[in-house]
Amino acid sequence: MNYNRIYTGDSNKLLRDVSIFRSASVDLIVTSPPYGKKRKHAYGGVKPDRYVEWFLPISKELFRILKPKGSFILNIKEGATDCERETYVLELVLALKEQGWLWIEEFCWYKKNSFPGKWRHRFRDSWERCYHFARQSEFKMYQDAVKVPIGDWSTDRFRSMSHKDYIRNVSGTNSKMGRNVANWLNRRRVYPHNVLVFEQEHYERIPNIVRFPTACRNHNHSAVFPLELPTWFIKLFTKPSGIVLDPFVGVGTTAIAAALLNRRYLGIEIVSEYAQAARRRVREARALKDCHGV
Amino acid sequence: MNYNRIYTGDSNKLLRDVSIFRSASVDLIVTSPPYGKKRKHAYGGVKPDRYVEWFLPISKELFRILKPKGSFILNIKEGATDCERETYVLELVLALKEQGWLWIEEFCWYKKNSFPGKWRHRFRDSWERCYHFARQSEFKMYQDAVKVPIGDWSTDRFRSMSHKDYIRNVSGTNSKMGRNVANWLNRRRVYPHNVLVFEQEHYERIPNIVRFPTACRNHNHSAVFPLELPTWFIKLFTKPSGIVLDPFVGVGTTAIAAALLNRRYLGIEIVSEYAQAARRRVREARALKDCHGV
DNA sequence: CTGCACTATGAATCGCTAA
DNA sequence: GTTAGCGATTCATAGTGCA
């Protein structure tokens, strides 16, 4: 079985190939499928009212391919039409549960640099959903791998709070916690929470060529989450040499994150231009990693 | 008709009293109903699988009571049971749409100062949902009332007088602005987005007695949002002397926010202890306001 | 190589016009 | 009637170029 490959093709067909995508073979699936758009675009125009029925055959295969203790991270956000939010994402979550997935969590990805604009009835949309699904409740989760320095997350209040105030507040909720307050305060790194804010200064700086390859710009491919997003989930749900699948890999961000973290990757992309770009970006990322030890 | 009152009673019954709650009489409903809990608590233990059917009769009355151009803000967050997120919130949104509500937006309330903690399968829950529903798409929204200071990036950027945006902005407004450029730059405000982060420094400081009355701390009251949360929505969706209803008013935070903003309020609370506390807190808040002009 | 000035643009939304 | 396309609106970043 081959890993570290980007396949060109339609996930809805390719994922059914059991010789390529064996059952229970993948540790983590991270993907950001094309969102539902009322109007068709060059890339991935799935109509909102058909979204769930379009996605379910794919997620059925993903369930098969994922290891029993693996995780599935789905980055998605509904849009607005005629002043109302679309409902297909809510319906998708319910449908995925019907299909057997456990809905473990919904992370909020807070995008500070959201698209500008002003409308009469709405402000700018600055967050997206990152759903965490699993096959069973005993999934693997390496929480220590994503600890953050205290102060990075908005511990402002704790910093300004006196020690006494802090103890009092904590002990008001749970006495066991109260006892451990000193530990928390003295610890250099703490566990994060379920609101994700990716600020470059807080993470390893990745060379520009990998982040925004010139050849991939100005293509109509809109969907790039920052490298930090898959990086975070890969650290949290896999160990080195683990296998990460992205069935809508686009220009390869998930694969790059996996490669840089010494994990193995599998990607599928329907637009051959993007698939090629993804392969080249991964190659460049690996080269940079080997050279400079990124 | 009496305003500025906290009623003790069950919303499911009281709201049907058309002499108290007249049709199309309220500008804004802001509430944080008891969340679904697997085990019943002293206060508001509605079981997750019965949540929607419990809420719909209430929301039906709210629809009646709300003015056609009014808004309904629902603060809620599903819990987790057996490692899985409950689905009743998703189902509630779909059911409210069935009932005639328009789902305009889902704001993310990012609670930065949630306390550290660690569970096996999840991190701390640091955000809640604030759904915005309306009766029709032509609802009232006073966006200018909630503008926020522009990001720090502007300090550097606007130092240059030749910048395109700068010229465009100055010439686009009025000449008086142009004369006092430096002052205007320092005070420039922009529209917010749909992730709400309440940091005290950005808001009027409210005396502690109103914010956290001693008598109400450590009570098992489920839903206490900070004063800033209803304040923000009241500014956004009502004008002075507008009418704000909270059918689960608890210890009165929504009513206090309304009173401090010179709006009228109506509240319902089933636990008479809390209702009394709410009345006292509102009284104290009004007194403080009259004295010090908070 | 750092620092600053300046440019470009991003998973957007709504209303209007034309077909 | 319905749908598709276009313009106007708006702000926080990354990236580039120059001193």
Side-chain angles (χ1 to χ4, degrees):
Chain A
M1 188 166 174
N2 286 318
Y3 291 108
N4 298 333
R5 293 198 55 174
I6 308 283
Y7 294 92
T8 306
D10 183 354
S11 279
N12 204 352
K13 291 173 186 164
L14 265 183
L15 287 173
R16 300 180 203 208
D17 188 329
V18 295
S19 64
I20 303 179
F21 299 102
R22 291 199 202 148
S23 298
S25 64
V26 159
D27 294 287
L28 173 65
I29 298 161
V30 182
T31 198
S32 188
Y35 297 1
K37 296 286 178 190
K38 196 152 197 185
R39 289 173 306 184
K40 281 191 180 177
H41 285 264
Y43 182 84
V46 183
K47 297 237 176 120
D49 52 342
R50 292 294 185 91
Y51 201 87
V52 174
E53 69 177 276
W54 169 76
F55 196 79
L56 284 184
I58 294 167
S59 55
K60 185 185 167 198
E61 293 305 310
L62 296 179
F63 194 96
R64 177 184 67 77
I65 294 162
L66 190 66
K67 288 182 185 174
K69 294 190 178 180
S71 283
F72 170 30
I73 299 297
L74 179 65
N75 165 230
I76 196 166
K77 180 74 187 245
E78 71 280 352
T81 309
D82 301 332
C83 295
E84 267 200 288
R85 285 269 167 211
E86 300 283 350
T87 56
Y88 67 89
V89 173
L90 310 186
E91 287 152 10
L92 180 60
V93 173
L94 298 174
L96 287 173
K97 275 178 66 77
E98 283 289 315
Q99 201 173 45
W101 293 97
L102 303 183
W103 173 30
I104 308 298
E105 181 59 299
E106 179 179 340
F107 291 87
C108 165
W109 170 27
Y110 175 18
K111 299 190 298 178
K112 286 188 162 176
N113 57 339
S114 56
F115 200 94
K118 179 185 184 299
W119 307 278
R120 263 175 74 195
H121 296 314
R122 169 185 313 288
F123 292 129
R124 292 182 295 145
D125 193 1
S126 284
W127 64 288
E128 294 193 12
R129 310 175 190 278
C130 290
Y131 287 105
H132 176 201
F133 294 98
R135 289 183 57 168
Q136 58 186 44
S137 57
E138 297 79 26
F139 56 87
K140 288 183 180 168
M141 194 176 192
Y142 309 103
Q143 300 190 347
D144 289 341
V146 293
K147 278 184 162 183
V148 291
I150 198 158
D152 275 8
W153 301 83
S154 326
T155 44
D156 305 88
R157 179 154 169 230
F158 298 128
R159 274 198 306 240
S160 64
M161 215 188 286
S162 74
H163 202 85
K164 200 170 63 185
D165 275 353
Y166 188 89
I167 301 269
R168 193 181 57 205
N169 275 309
V170 173
S171 60
T173 56
N174 181 324
S175 61
K176 191 180 175 186
M177 265 187 147
R179 265 181 268 129
N180 289 329
V181 161
N183 288 339
W184 282 111
L185 282 178
N186 294 331
R187 239 176 240 193
R188 276 190 60 248
R189 299 173 86 84
V190 299
Y191 293 105
H193 46 61
N194 60 359
V195 176
L196 306 177
V197 187
F198 299 108
E199 296 181 273
Q200 198 169 336
E201 53 194 318
H202 293 162
Y203 291 83
E204 297 88 336
R205 190 175 181 85
I206 305 295
N208 292 337
I209 189 165
V210 177
R211 294 173 65 88
F212 298 105
T214 316
C216 302
R217 302 182 75 166
N218 300 328
H219 284 217
N220 203 16
H221 186 262
S222 43
V224 258
F225 42 51
L227 190 58
E228 288 83 359
L229 180 73
T231 296
W232 195 82
F233 286 112
I234 290 169
K235 283 180 180 171
L236 180 56
F237 292 117
T238 71
K239 284 185 164 172
S241 86
I243 298 160
V244 181
L245 165 64
D246 187 343
F248 302 96
V249 77
V251 291
T253 307
T254 302
I256 292 168
L260 291 178
L261 292 169
N262 294 313
R263 272 73 167 176
R264 290 175 284 176
Y265 61 86
L266 287 170
I268 301 176
E269 172 53 46
I270 197 166
V271 179
S272 66
E273 248 182 311
Y274 302 150
Q276 285 173 34
R279 290 183 202 108
R280 196 194 53 247
R281 288 182 77 204
V282 176
R283 215 164 37 232
E284 290 170 355
R286 302 191 88 124
L288 284 165
K289 176 167 158 271
D290 293 340
C291 280
H292 304 106
V294 173
Chain B
M1 187 165 175
N2 286 319
Y3 292 108
N4 298 334
R5 292 197 56 174
I6 308 284
Y7 294 92
T8 305
D10 182 353
S11 279
N12 204 351
K13 291 172 186 165
L14 266 183
L15 287 173
R16 301 180 202 208
D17 188 329
V18 297
S19 65
I20 303 179
F21 300 102
R22 291 198 200 147
S23 298
S25 65
V26 159
D27 294 287
L28 172 65
I29 298 162
V30 182
T31 198
S32 188
Y35 300 176
K37 298 281 183 191
K38 195 158 195 188
R39 290 176 308 180
K40 281 194 177 177
H41 285 264
Y43 181 85
V46 184
K47 293 219 180 145
D49 53 340
R50 293 294 186 92
Y51 201 87
V52 174
E53 71 178 275
W54 169 76
F55 197 80
L56 285 183
I58 294 166
S59 55
K60 185 185 166 196
E61 293 305 310
L62 296 178
F63 195 98
R64 176 184 67 77
I65 294 161
L66 189 67
K67 288 182 185 174
K69 294 190 178 182
S71 283
F72 170 29
I73 299 298
L74 179 64
N75 165 230
I76 197 166
K77 181 73 187 255
E78 70 282 350
T81 310
D82 302 331
C83 297
E84 269 200 287
R85 285 276 170 202
E86 299 285 350
T87 57
Y88 64 89
V89 173
L90 310 185
E91 287 152 10
L92 180 59
V93 173
L94 298 174
L96 287 173
K97 274 179 65 79
E98 283 289 315
Q99 200 173 44
W101 293 98
L102 303 183
W103 174 29
I104 308 297
E105 182 58 297
E106 180 178 339
F107 290 87
C108 165
W109 170 26
Y110 175 18
K111 300 189 293 181
K112 280 184 156 188
N113 45 9
S114 66
F115 289 105
K118 177 185 183 293
W119 294 266
R120 217 179 121 193
H121 293 308
R122 69 182 70 251
F123 293 127
R124 288 179 289 150
D125 194 2
S126 284
W127 66 288
E128 295 192 12
R129 311 173 189 278
C130 290
Y131 287 105
H132 176 201
F133 294 99
R135 288 183 57 168
Q136 57 187 42
S137 57
E138 297 79 26
F139 56 88
K140 288 183 181 169
M141 194 176 195
Y142 309 103
Q143 300 190 346
D144 289 342
V146 292
K147 279 188 162 183
V148 294
I150 198 166
D152 294 334
W153 56 268
S154 65
T155 314
D156 297 331
R157 187 175 175 187
F158 282 103
R159 207 174 284 153
S160 155
M161 292 295 172
S162 61
H163 194 272
K164 199 169 66 181
D165 273 355
Y166 175 83
I167 298 291
R168 190 176 62 192
N169 278 307
V170 172
S171 58
T173 55
N174 57 45
S175 57
K176 193 180 176 186
M177 279 267 193
R179 261 182 271 138
N180 203 344
V181 169
N183 195 27
W184 171 71
L185 285 179
N186 292 333
R187 289 165 182 271
R188 191 180 157 195
R189 296 185 154 249
V190 298
Y191 293 104
H193 46 63
N194 62 356
V195 176
L196 306 178
V197 187
F198 299 108
E199 296 181 274
Q200 201 169 339
E201 54 194 318
H202 293 162
Y203 292 82
E204 297 89 337
R205 192 175 178 84
I206 306 294
N208 288 336
I209 189 165
V210 177
R211 293 173 61 87
F212 300 106
T214 317
C216 303
R217 298 183 80 160
N218 300 328
H219 280 215
N220 201 14
H221 185 263
S222 52
V224 259
F225 40 54
L227 191 58
E228 288 83 0
L229 180 74
T231 297
W232 195 81
F233 287 113
I234 291 169
K235 284 180 179 171
L236 180 57
F237 292 117
T238 72
K239 284 184 165 173
S241 87
I243 297 159
V244 181
L245 165 64
D246 186 343
F248 303 97
V249 77
V251 291
T253 307
T254 301
I256 292 168
L260 292 178
L261 292 168
N262 295 314
R263 271 71 167 179
R264 290 174 285 176
Y265 62 85
L266 286 170
I268 301 175
E269 172 54 45
I270 197 167
V271 179
S272 66
E273 240 183 316
Y274 299 150
Q276 285 173 34
R279 292 184 199 103
R280 196 194 54 248
R281 290 182 75 204
V282 176
R283 217 164 37 232
E284 289 170 354
R286 302 192 88 125
L288 284 165
K289 176 167 159 269
D290 293 340
C291 280
H292 304 108
V294 173

